[in-house]
Amino acid sequence: MSLHAEQFFTSGFPHQLAGVVIGNSFYSQAPDSGHRLRIDFYETITQHQYGGLRLSVVHPDRGKIDTLALSFKEYGTFRARDAASGTYDRDVVHAFPGGAEPPWRGGDFTSLVHAVHTYAGMWGFPAPDPMVRPATRVAGPAPAPSRVRGTAARAR
């Protein structure tokens, strides 16, 4: 699939969370609690069509604690893009295999980023200063195996 996820999480989506991109997901770890945050695109009922971002908080010992879906439509992410092009794609991203251009280009992520920071802050991730943008993030090593009975961390 051509989501260009690494490019999205490192330069397209202006979040200010420290972390790494592995596969099509962004991972971050809270400094005090050890909670891990995973952010990825969630697929709609239509193949290669993504309706927003899914945020999951995972505890290293107890597994998944909470999941939240943030839709592009709810946050008006692609409203201006769709209006300018005269097409109304219902605020989704179409990521067909082999696409050269990032399908999320032209999105206004301001409200969505605020929602991500609010959710992350609830779980102990440092609240970012809205005026400061961190250095570009890069893909890193896979997360350590989970300590939950017999499961291991895996990229999706």
Side-chain angles (χ1 to χ4, degrees), residues 60-72:
D61 293 326
R62 290 177 261 161
K64 191 179 289 187
I65 296 174
D66 191 50
T67 300
L68 175 68
L70 301 174
S71 76
F72 295 138

Side-chain angles (χ1 to χ4, degrees), residues 23-122:
N24 286 328
S25 301
F26 174 80
Y27 295 90
S28 184
Q29 184 167 350
D32 297 333
S33 65
H35 288 136
R36 296 179 182 137
L37 176 67
R38 175 182 174 168
I39 305 174
D40 55 1
F41 292 88
Y42 71 81
E43 197 164 11
T44 66
I45 194 167
T46 306
Q47 186 177 18
H48 304 298
Q49 182 173 298
Y50 299 85
L53 298 176
R54 177 179 41 235
L55 289 72
S56 299
V57 175
V58 181
H59 188 276
D61 293 326
R62 290 177 261 161
K64 191 179 289 187
I65 296 174
D66 191 50
T67 300
L68 175 68
L70 301 174
S71 76
F72 295 138
K73 183 175 184 171
E74 182 179 341
Y75 289 95
T77 305
F78 297 109
R79 189 174 298 139
R81 175 198 72 180
D82 294 345
S85 68
T87 60
Y88 293 92
D89 290 331
R90 299 180 323 270
D91 289 305
V92 297
V93 168
H94 297 280
F96 298 105
E101 287 292 315
W104 40 262
R105 183 164 285 170
D108 176 8
F109 300 106
T110 308
S111 297
L112 192 61
V113 166
H114 179 69
V116 168
H117 289 161
T118 301
Y119 180 78
M122 278 183 4

Side-chain angles (χ1 to χ4, degrees), residues 121-134:
M122 278 183 4
W123 291 100
F125 293 84
D129 180 350
M131 300 308 290
V132 178
R133 176 151 179 156

